[in-house]
Structures are given as C-alpha cells and as structure tokens.
Amino acid sequence: MSTPPTAGGHGWRIGTLSGVPVYLGRSWVLVALLVAALFGPTVARVVPQLGWGAYVVALAFAGLLLISVLVHEAAHALVAQRVGFRVSRVVADFWGGHTAHDGTGGTPGRSAAVAVVGPLSNGVLALLGWGLTGALAEGGVPWLLAYAFTAANAFVAVFNIIPGLPLDGGFLLEALVWRLTGNRHLGTLVAGWFGRLVVVLLVLWALVPPLLEGRSLGLTRVLWVGVIALFLWQGASAAVRLGRSGLVVSRRRVGDVARPVGVVPLDTAVGEVDWDARPLWVVVDDTGAPVGLVDPGTLQGLDGQARSGATVAALTVRLPVGWTVTLSAEDPLDRAVEVMRASGSGVVGLVGHDGRPWGVVLVDDVAARRVRPTPS
C-alpha cells in the first residue's frame, strides 16, 4: 500500500518502490498543462464531438506520460538496487524524471545495466501500446490515447539511447570508454562532448530544413527545440566540466585536501570541550558513529549562561546517512568525492580503519583546487 502524498523538497511523495521514496515534482503540474494545451487541439480535430472534453482527454494523456516516466525511472532504480547501488529517491518532474543513486564502487558493466533499462522499458511500453492500438476501433478516444502513448514511448526509447550525456545513451558511451580506458572520468568527458554534438545536430535537423524549403518556423516548434536543446546543452556541459575536473581529482589523494577534526560525543557539555583545539569537530552518537559536525564559530552566538547549560547535540549540524567513508590519507580523492556527491551534503567524513573519524573533505576545499564531484 502506498503512503499518502506528502510535500517535500523533491515534490509530493506519492509512494515507495522497493523501499525507495517516489516523488511527483511540483513542475509536473506545468507538464500536464502544456500537454493539455498542445495535445488538446489534436484530440478536438480527431474527435470533434468532444468539444472542451478534448482537453480532459489531453490531461488523461498527460497521466499516461507520467506512468511512462515512472516506469522508466523504476527500471533504473530496481536495476541499480540489483547491482548493489543505494537508491535514495525517484522523481518525476518537468524534465521527465531522475533516479538518485549512489554509484560508489560501480563498474562499467553495472553503470551500463542501470542506463540501458530505461530506454528498454519505454520500448516495451511502445510495443504494448502498439498491440492495444491494433485491437481498438480506429478514430475513437481509446484508440487515440493508445496511439499517442505508443508514439511517445517509441520516441523516448529511440531518442534516449542516443550516445551523449545527459541521455541514457550517454551513460552507455561513458561506460564503454570507461571499460576501454579504465578511466571513468575520461568516459564522462567524451560522453559530455558527444552530448554537445547531439544538441547541435538536433537544432540543425529541426530548424534548418524548413528554412531551406522556404517555410516559416512555427513558434511552438522553436520553443520546444529551444527548451530541449537548452536542457541537453546544460547537462552535456556539466558532464564536460565534471569529466575534466574528475581527471584532476583522480590524480590527487585524500590527504591533499582533508581537514583535521576533533571528535566529541553528542551528550558532552559544551563547556567541557576545548573548541580552539580543532577547526572542525565530528560529533558521534553513543555507538561511536559520526552523525554530524560542529563549527566552533557557532559558539560565538552563545552567551555564557547558554554555553554552560548546552550540550554538543544543540550545536550539531546533522548530516545524511552515508556521509562518511572509510579512507586513509593515501587513498584516491575521487573515492571521497563520489561519497560527497551521493550524500548531497557537500561534505564527507573520513573514518580510519580503526573506526575513528580523522578528517573531513569539504566541497569548497575541493573546488578551490579546481576539482568537482563526479557524476553517477
């Protein structure tokens, strides 16, 4: 049984999938309205007797698109779990959707498996829609919805397999280069440049032929091409930057950027700690597990009375599960950055093989050395 929809930072929580929360982004309302505005006239033309009901049918088609997106992302999530990745959420939003998962410890094969199942799921939906279209009477509302559902999923399956990030085909290309060279960051860089090439070819294919034939470009066509091209260009450019910086990261060690920390239990009185001894403090619970950080600078806002009566728990900035990793100073920095990216906290806690925290890496420290987290 799914949980009632709740609003959060990722949108409305509409259920769970294998323990993973599923969200409907608030931007999906805009998607539904756009689909109704663009598809409604087509419905009215094919089934003129519907009148304004054509827009209700168009909204129903938006619902079918949502199902397609959720199936696509569910495929990513389930396979990611299957190959050993930790999946934190599935979100359907304006850009289609995304599945957030921790790719730490991934391999080219695992990455390719997670990527390919998305387009494959749309291909299966297209085949199901095609079979249903053949079984329905042509020209009616059910036939029109089945036909549009088939066409949309077939398009997504083919388009999304194009080898260029941020498309799923780009992750397949990334995995291929990674497999051939042994360097994931080089794969990201190559796939990002291919993504930029895809954008250029898309714009040329969509806009140049009508101009050469002397036809005017419709505003709707220009807007859609512009929105899709902008989204793809931003994703491809981010991949290029991440690939370049990842190559830098892979040549550095954790000890190059790690900050030393003190360790303090949650229930310790604030006045019992020599806060000047360390620039940052890792806070541990009663089992010794790190749960967050304290910046000694926050104590400046406490007067003497408040400081004497407070415990460390009151000053702790809690961090998400998975923000720590067991690494030594000699380990590659990109392993720490992968954990930072996966947790989304901008900080990774470093734990020694004895289980005791010994340092942290902050995203600002990494960026100051011209490196950034790598993509999954």
Side-chain angles (χ1 to χ4, degrees), residues 35 43 60 86 95 120 161 173 279 299 356 369:
V35 170
V43 178
R86 187 179 72 250
W95 300 114
L120 285 179
I161 207 70
L173 177 59
L299 286 134
R356 183 174 177 80
R369 290 161 176 80

Side-chain angles (χ1 to χ4, degrees), residues 74-155:
H76 284 316
L78 293 175
V79 173
Q81 283 188 328
R82 180 68 177 175
V83 300
F85 297 153
R86 187 179 72 250
V87 182
S88 57
R89 63 185 177 276
V90 170
V91 182
D93 55 22
F94 181 81
W95 300 114
H98 66 271
T99 298
H101 69 275
D102 176 6
T104 304
T107 65
R110 292 175 182 175
S111 180
V114 174
V116 76
V117 292
L120 285 179
S121 67
N122 290 113
V124 170
L125 290 177
L127 289 175
L128 292 174
W130 180 68
L132 185 60
T133 301
L136 295 171
E138 185 173 344
V141 169
W143 177 88
L144 181 59
L145 287 175
Y147 180 84
F149 179 79
T150 301
N153 278 282
F155 172 79

